[in-house]
Amino acid sequence: MTLLTQDEYKSIAANLDLPTAAFIDGKFCPAASGKTFETVNPATGEKLADIASCGAADVDVAVEKAREAFDDGRWSRLHPSERKDVLIRLCKLMTRNAHELAVMESLDSGKTIYDCETVDVPETIHCLKWHAEAIDKIYDQVSPASDDHIAMVVREPIGVVGLVLPWNFPLLMLAWKIGPALAAGCSVVVKPAAETTLTALRVAELAMEAGLPRGVLNIVPGGGAEAGEPIGRHMDIDMVSFTGSTVTGKRFLTYAAESNAKEVVLEMGGKNPAIVMDDAENLDRVAAHIVNGAFWNMGENCSASSRLIVHKDVKAELLERIAHHAKAWNVGDPLDPKTRMGALVSRAHFDKVCGYLEQAENVVLGGKAHDGAFVEATVVEVPGNDAVLAREEIFGPVLSVIEVTGFDEAIRIANDTQYGLCASIFTANAKRAIRGARAIRAGTVTVNSFGEGDITTPFGGYKQSGFGGRDNSVHAHDQYTQLKTIWIDLADDADEAVD
C-alpha cells in the first residue's frame, strides 16, 4: 500500500461521503424509531455524523430479510464458484477504494492512518479473498461404511447468523466474520460497535455493487442493549459470533440459553504474557517484538503483550532496549503517516485507561496522558502477578513488568490468569521453547516473536478468552456450518423388504 501525505489524507477526509443509515435488504434506511446517535473523531472530539440508532424492531426486519434470502437460496444455494466470484469482486472494489476506507477507519476509531493503510485495509481484503478462494476447495466426506452402505458427511450453511463486532479493529473483525460466514452460504446481520460503524456500512454498500444479493448482508448500527441483545435473544437467528470483552461475551451465552439455544462463538479478552528467559538471544530484537506487541494499535488489542515476565538477569538490559524502541512510537495526529500511536477510541475509554495509570507506583517509561484522547507508551514495574495492573485487561498502551528467577516460575505466572488468548516465549533453548509453548494455556503461542499467526492459522482462546470456535483458517468455516450425515442403504435385502 502506497502511503500518501498528511495533507492528502486530510483532503480525502474533508470530502468523504459518510454512510449514516442502517443497511437492510440491500438498501440504506433510517432506524424504525427515527433515533440517531453521534459518532465522533476521538482524536479531536469533533462530530463526524449522526448514525441510525437501531433497536429490536430493526433487528426483527433485518433477520426477516436475512431469513428470506437464506430460505429462497439466492445465496445459500448459489453455485460455490458464483459466490466466490461475488466476494472477489468485492475485494477488487475495496482495493479501488482503499484510501477512502483507511481514512474513514482512522477518523472513526482514532487508529493511525499508517496502521489502517499498511495493516487493517490490506489484511481485510486478504481475509475476504482467502475465504472466497476456499469456497470451492473445501470438500465434504464419505465415511468408511460397509459395502452395503454409503455414508456422506456434508456441510450445510448454519442459516442466519448474528455478528457482533468490537471497536478496536472494525474492518478486520468484520472480515474475520463475514468472510467465512458468507463463504459458507449464510445470511448475516451485523452489529458494528457503536463507536466504529462507518466502514461496515461502506463495505455493505460495496458488497451490493459487487453483486451480493439483497438481504444477505445487513448492518444494524446501535448500542449493545438496543441492538446487540435483541440479536443474542432472537428466536430466528441460528448462531451468533461475538468479539469483545469477556463480561459482554458471557451475556450472549445467557441470551442463547434463554431463547432458542442458538450456537454461540466468543472471542474475548486477554492478559497476554511475554516470557523472556535469561538465555534469550539478541535482546534488541526481543525488545522490538515486546514494544510492537504492547503498543501496536495503542494497546487496544485483545492479543496485546500486556505482561512482560522477564528473568532477573536480563531485566535491566531489556528495559533499556524497550525504552529505546518505544521512542519511535510517537503520539500524534492519526492522519499523519509518521504517527505510530493514535487516539484511544473514546473519552470514556481514555478515562478508564488513565484510571489504571493512577494506580501505577513504579513507572519506568511514559505514563502521561493528554488532550482527553492520547496516552503515551507506558511501562510499569509491578510487585507481582497479583497486582491489579498485572491481572486486569487495561486495553491501552500499558506494559506491566514482572520479574522472575526461573523457567518454571515464569510458566506458572503466565498461566495464573483467567485469560488464555495469546502468549510469547523468548529463549535460545529449543527444548525449553517447545515445553513452554505446550505448557502455556493459550490459543496462540509464539516463539521468539510476537504475532497472531496468519489467515491460515486458527485464532481464539482458552479459558475466559474464548468459547465455541475459532476465527481464521478453514476452521473458521466450521462454526458457520452444520454437519449432516446422509446414510444410504444399498443392500439387496432392503430392496426386497420394500417390495
Side-chain angles (χ1 to χ4, degrees):
M1 182 74 68
T2 303
L3 290 172
L4 306 179
T5 67
Q6 183 178 10
D7 287 342
E8 287 173 317
Y9 285 124
K10 287 185 177 296
S11 177
I12 292 173
N15 291 283
L16 283 176
D17 183 13
L18 300 177
T20 60
F23 192 87
I24 298 174
D25 199 29
K27 60 183 180 297
F28 286 112
C29 57
S33 66
K35 294 181 179 178
T36 62
F37 64 90
E38 283 189 0
T39 186
V40 302
N41 180 343
T44 64
E46 296 176 356
K47 175 180 168 181
L48 293 172
D50 290 311
I51 306 292
S53 183
C54 292
D58 304 287
V59 171
D60 285 344
V61 174
V63 173
E64 178 186 352
K65 297 303 180 183
R67 177 62 63 188
E68 288 177 4
F70 182 79
D71 287 348
D72 69 23
R74 69 187 75 161
W75 181 254
S76 59
R77 294 195 295 274
L78 197 64
H79 192 281
S81 65
E82 294 182 74
R83 294 205 307 271
K84 178 179 74 172
D85 289 344
V86 171
L87 294 182
I88 293 297
R89 285 197 296 271
L90 172 59
C91 291
K92 291 178 179 178
L93 288 171
M94 293 177 68
T95 300
R96 292 176 198 164
N97 292 275
H99 291 312
E100 172 200 348
L101 288 168
V103 171
M104 196 178 292
E105 189 87 329
S106 179
L107 291 175
D108 209 18
S109 68
K111 297 166 72 75
T112 66
I113 194 67
Y114 177 86
D115 281 348
C116 292
E117 286 273 43
T118 63
V119 179
D120 293 60
V121 173
E123 284 297 313
T124 294
I125 295 169
H126 177 62
C127 175
L128 291 173
K129 188 180 298 183
W130 193 90
H131 286 294
E133 291 289 357
I135 290 175
D136 56 3
K137 300 173 183 66
I138 297 178
Y139 288 78
D140 293 325
Q141 299 169 316
V142 176
S143 81
S146 74
D147 188 56
D148 290 331
H149 303 89
I150 292 178
M152 297 184 292
V153 182
V154 299
R155 289 184 182 88
E156 295 182 350
I158 199 167
V160 175
V161 174
L163 304 174
V164 183
L165 309 182
W167 47 253
N168 58 333
F169 290 93
L171 268 174
L172 194 52
M173 293 302 99
L174 175 70
W176 277 23
K177 296 188 186 300
I178 68 170
L182 294 179
C186 298
S187 296
V188 302
V189 177
V190 179
K191 194 205 86 64
E195 296 87 346
T196 52
T197 300
L198 297 176
T199 48
L201 292 170
R202 180 63 176 132
V203 169
E205 187 177 24
L206 292 174
M208 284 298 296
E209 187 178 340
L212 190 73
R214 61 181 179 80
V216 175
L217 173 59
N218 306 276
I219 313 290
V220 287
E226 295 77 14
E229 183 173 345
I231 287 175
R233 293 187 179 278
H234 205 286
M235 295 297 292
D236 202 26
I237 287 180
D238 301 295
M239 177 260 187
V240 165
S241 179
F242 166 86
T243 295
S245 72
T246 299
V247 171
T248 304
K250 289 179 179 180
R251 292 177 187 153
F252 279 91
L253 297 177
T254 300
Y255 301 155
E258 293 178 351
S259 57
N260 61 342
K262 60 177 63 65
E263 295 194 20
V264 177
V265 173
L266 307 174
E267 196 270 283
M268 301 180 286
K271 193 67 178 176
N272 310 292
I275 297 173
V276 181
M277 297 310 302
D278 54 339
D279 63 348
E281 294 179 325
N282 192 346
L283 286 182
D284 192 64
R285 182 173 180 273
V286 172
H289 277 289
I290 297 295
V291 166
N292 184 51
F295 305 137
W296 174 48
N297 202 53
M298 296 75 70
E300 296 173 330
N301 183 9
C302 56
S303 60
S305 299
S306 51
R307 286 187 297 155
L308 172 57
I309 303 170
V310 56
H311 195 281
K312 65 180 182 61
D313 291 346
V314 296
K315 185 182 78 171
E317 183 180 356
L318 181 62
L319 289 180
E320 287 182 8
R321 295 174 184 270
I322 285 175
H324 172 73
H325 282 280
K327 291 178 182 177
W329 290 73
N330 62 311
V331 173
D333 179 4
L335 287 182
D336 184 346
K338 296 178 182 178
T339 298
R340 294 302 306 277
M341 296 266 286
L344 298 188
V345 73
S346 67
R347 182 57 190 255
H349 187 60
F350 171 84
D351 291 340
K352 174 188 172 184
V353 173
C354 289
Y356 282 107
L357 292 180
E358 291 172 359
Q359 301 181 55
E361 297 180 0
N362 188 2
V363 178
V364 177
L365 175 74
K368 296 179 182 178
H370 57 89
D371 297 337
F374 300 92
V375 174
E376 294 180 352
T378 299
V379 179
V380 299
E381 286 198 60
V382 296
N385 199 50
D386 290 334
V388 170
L389 296 181
R391 300 204 73 80
E392 296 184 10
E393 186 179 32
I394 300 171
F395 227 61
V398 181
L399 174 66
S400 299
V401 181
I402 305 167
E403 179 183 299
V404 294
T405 58
F407 176 73
D408 291 339
E409 180 187 9
I411 297 298
R412 177 182 60 77
I413 290 175
N415 284 331
D416 182 19
T417 173
Q418 66 176 324
Y419 300 111
L421 188 57
C422 295
S424 302
I425 182 167
F426 296 84
T427 175
N429 186 313
K431 290 183 180 179
R432 176 182 282 176
I434 294 171
R435 290 205 328 268
R438 286 181 170 178
I440 295 171
R441 293 185 54 74
T444 298
V445 181
T446 58
V447 176
N448 294 327
S449 66
F450 163 77
E452 298 175 350
D454 65 12
I455 188 64
T456 68
T457 57
F459 182 83
Y462 287 26
K463 297 186 281 188
Q464 295 189 51
S465 286
F467 179 91
R470 290 291 188 266
D471 290 315
N472 287 343
S473 79
V474 294
H475 297 281
H477 289 247
D478 294 341
Q479 60 198 20
Y480 299 105
T481 59
Q482 291 277 28
L483 289 181
K484 174 180 285 185
T485 296
I486 299 177
W487 185 268
I488 304 172
D489 193 328
L490 303 177
D492 289 339
D493 57 346
D495 294 337
E496 293 171 1
V498 172
D499 294 336

